[in-house]
Amino acid sequence: MLRVPTALLVFIALLSACSTDAASDSTTSAAPLTTLAAATATEGPTTTEPATTTSTTTTTTTTTTTTLPIPVGVPESPSAAPSAEIAKMDPSFTGAGVVTIAAGGAALYESVGNDPFVVAREGLVFAAHRMEGEWIEVFTSCDASAWVHSDEVVAQSPSAPAQIGDGFDFGEATIVIDPGHGGPWNTGAVSPSGLVEKAVNLDIARRVVDLLNESHTVDWATGEIFYGDEIPAAGWVIQTRVGDEETGDYEAGLIFRSDLANQAGAHAMVAIHNNAGWEINLPVPGSDVYYQSQIPESRRFARLMVEEMMLSFTAFEADWVGAIETGAKSRLSPREGNPQYYGILRRSEMPTVIAEGVYIANQSEADLLATAEFRQVYAEAVYRSLVRFLTTDDTGEGADTDPEIWAGSAGSGDARPDCIIPEQN
């Protein structure tokens, strides 16, 4: 008779007790221990494997790839002007609107039949008023009328009137960006180090145009602008002074600037400037934005721009200066009827503001304006305010004051008698 070792019998007894306690919780059930005991007691090498039932769980892992938005960053300089277009005319053009000088330039005439007085440079934009036969009467940057043949321009009809605010499609917007000053006489303010306002204004304006001509996504909490499709490119963007720092440095009268925006049927206009005389030192930027008292929406536009400028500019350190009252404001002339003091605000028929970003005459702030980084954030503040103004009913949180009569003098921005229209090379 085969003897079963005592240790094995003890093991079998313990295992039997454990299996009874664990049977209800285990996902694996052992074969009856009597089977195992009997097999151990029989002669020969025969063994019986415990029958088991195994529960298996399979886990599937899903990997999600998130594409982070790409910031527009800080271009060292604005984009170059696009190549001039060949002459063409909107089918709906009847004489009123905007003309752009086509590739190769265009001859301008004081009256049809006379000799031309200049061959205007390709890319220049003028307001168009009427058409006689194949000739278009335009209003030039020298605040004077002239005639041009329709075969030498790109002629566009004005935009249709639209209700701006919540629900307005930014892709349908017509916007005029006006770089303040320009030409040999109208330099604007100059910093102690020699930084000239007209050049800074043009650089910032061109950056605004670059932003408007592409679609973007905006982080409204931080103000950062990304490449994206949340906001479409604006429908039609017009720049009053066209070209780079050299070719865009020409005289443009205030009557011309407003007339161009009016004839385009623009939905909004921004004149880009930087300030000169200040009154006090400030802990924050002393940005001012002037609005039209005769167009209520202009004040909302100015408030939004002040708010966006504060968001952009306070990230920089400077010895800030400004007026005792800063923000959105409006100056009225002491003349009878108290019209708007500034001609561009008085003559423009759509919501228009004059942005006085920072004080270029203050060297600490001029040092900022000399950098691409600060010019870019200025442009981004203008861009964001345009998007909010045209596509929302936001009232803005920028500081503002009611219109006041102003007896000071800012000089004339009308074109001089010896004004010269840039010529085709």
Side-chain angles (χ1 to χ4, degrees):
M1 179 176 174
L2 186 65
R3 291 176 58 86
V4 178
T6 304
L8 180 59
L9 292 175
V10 172
F11 170 74
I12 293 172
L14 289 172
L15 185 61
S16 177
C18 291
S19 65
T20 302
D21 293 338
S24 60
D25 296 329
S26 176
T27 58
T28 303
S29 56
L33 291 179
T34 54
T35 303
L36 180 58
T40 306
T42 57
E43 297 180 354
T46 304
T47 59
T48 303
E49 295 290 338
T52 62
T53 302
T54 303
S55 174
T56 303
T57 302
T58 302
T59 302
T60 301
T61 303
T62 302
T63 302
T64 302
T65 302
T66 301
T67 303
L68 297 176
I70 302 173
V72 297
V74 181
E76 186 58 33
S77 59
S79 300
S83 300
E85 297 183 72
I86 61 172
K88 61 182 178 180
M89 184 183 298
D90 279 352
S92 61
F93 184 82
T94 59
V98 173
V99 299
T100 304
I101 304 301
L108 299 184
Y109 302 78
E110 290 183 352
S111 60
V112 177
N114 291 344
D115 292 333
F117 64 88
V118 68
V119 176
R121 193 185 72 211
E122 62 186 25
L124 295 178
V125 290
F126 301 136
H129 282 266
R130 62 191 178 106
M131 195 168 184
E132 289 188 3
E134 297 179 338
W135 294 87
I136 303 171
E137 185 181 27
V138 299
F139 195 75
T140 73
S141 52
C142 286
D143 284 351
S145 294
W147 291 86
V148 64
H149 197 275
S150 57
D151 284 345
E152 296 184 311
V153 298
V154 177
Q156 295 171 266
S157 301
S159 297
Q163 182 64 46
I164 63 173
D166 191 26
F168 179 76
D169 182 1
F170 198 71
E172 299 296 322
T174 295
I175 299 168
V176 174
I177 302 299
D178 175 41
H181 306 291
W185 308 107
N186 191 359
T187 62
V190 180
S191 76
S193 62
L195 188 65
V196 181
E197 185 192 351
K198 65 177 181 179
V200 174
N201 296 345
L202 179 60
D203 183 276
I204 295 168
R206 291 170 62 201
R207 291 173 186 271
V208 176
V209 171
D210 286 347
L211 290 168
L212 291 170
N213 280 332
E214 293 185 341
S215 61
H216 296 100
T217 296
V218 175
D219 182 337
W220 294 103
T222 65
E224 191 167 12
I225 299 175
F226 303 89
Y227 294 106
D229 55 8
E230 175 189 294
I231 303 161
W236 186 11
V237 183
I238 301 169
Q239 187 176 316
T240 58
R241 271 202 296 132
V242 181
D244 58 25
E245 185 172 353
E246 180 180 352
T247 60
D249 182 18
Y250 58 88
E251 191 169 359
L254 289 181
I255 301 174
F256 154 76
R257 299 174 197 240
S258 292
D259 191 50
L260 178 63
N262 292 340
Q263 292 301 108
H267 301 111
M269 181 179 185
V270 181
I272 305 294
H273 286 258
N274 286 282
N275 227 331
W278 66 87
E279 296 173 321
I280 58 173
N281 296 321
L282 294 171
V284 295
S287 304
D288 290 328
V289 180
Y290 291 93
Y291 64 86
Q292 301 152 297
S293 58
Q294 76 275 21
I295 299 181
E297 280 289 272
S298 177
R299 185 169 185 170
R300 180 174 76 90
F301 190 9
R303 282 172 54 90
L304 289 167
M305 191 169 294
V306 170
E307 180 184 347
E308 294 298 339
M309 283 181 169
M310 290 299 102
L311 180 62
S312 283
F313 297 170
T314 51
F316 294 81
E317 293 185 359
D319 298 326
W320 304 110
V321 297
I324 295 173
E325 290 184 322
T326 63
K329 55 180 66 173
S330 185
R331 286 175 171 173
L332 306 179
S333 169
R335 299 198 306 266
E336 183 179 356
N338 303 130
Q340 277 293 307
Y341 176 84
Y342 294 111
I344 198 167
L345 298 182
R346 185 171 63 250
R347 299 185 183 103
S348 298
E349 297 169 359
M350 76 296 303
T352 301
V353 296
I354 300 174
E356 295 278 5
V358 294
Y359 283 77
I360 192 171
N362 172 25
Q363 189 59 53
S364 178
E365 296 178 47
D367 289 342
L368 292 178
L369 284 170
T371 68
E373 288 79 8
F374 194 82
R375 296 179 185 192
Q376 183 67 22
V377 298
Y378 188 146
E380 291 177 358
V382 173
Y383 171 79
R384 293 194 305 268
S385 64
L386 278 163
V387 173
R388 291 179 65 191
F389 174 65
L390 291 173
T391 65
T392 76
D393 295 326
D394 292 353
T395 58
E397 297 181 357
D400 70 340
T401 56
D402 292 335
E404 294 182 346
I405 295 175
W406 192 63
S409 176
S412 173
D414 294 343
R416 294 166 58 95
D418 56 356
C419 174
I420 296 174
I421 294 172
E423 295 186 57
Q424 179 71 16
N425 293 328

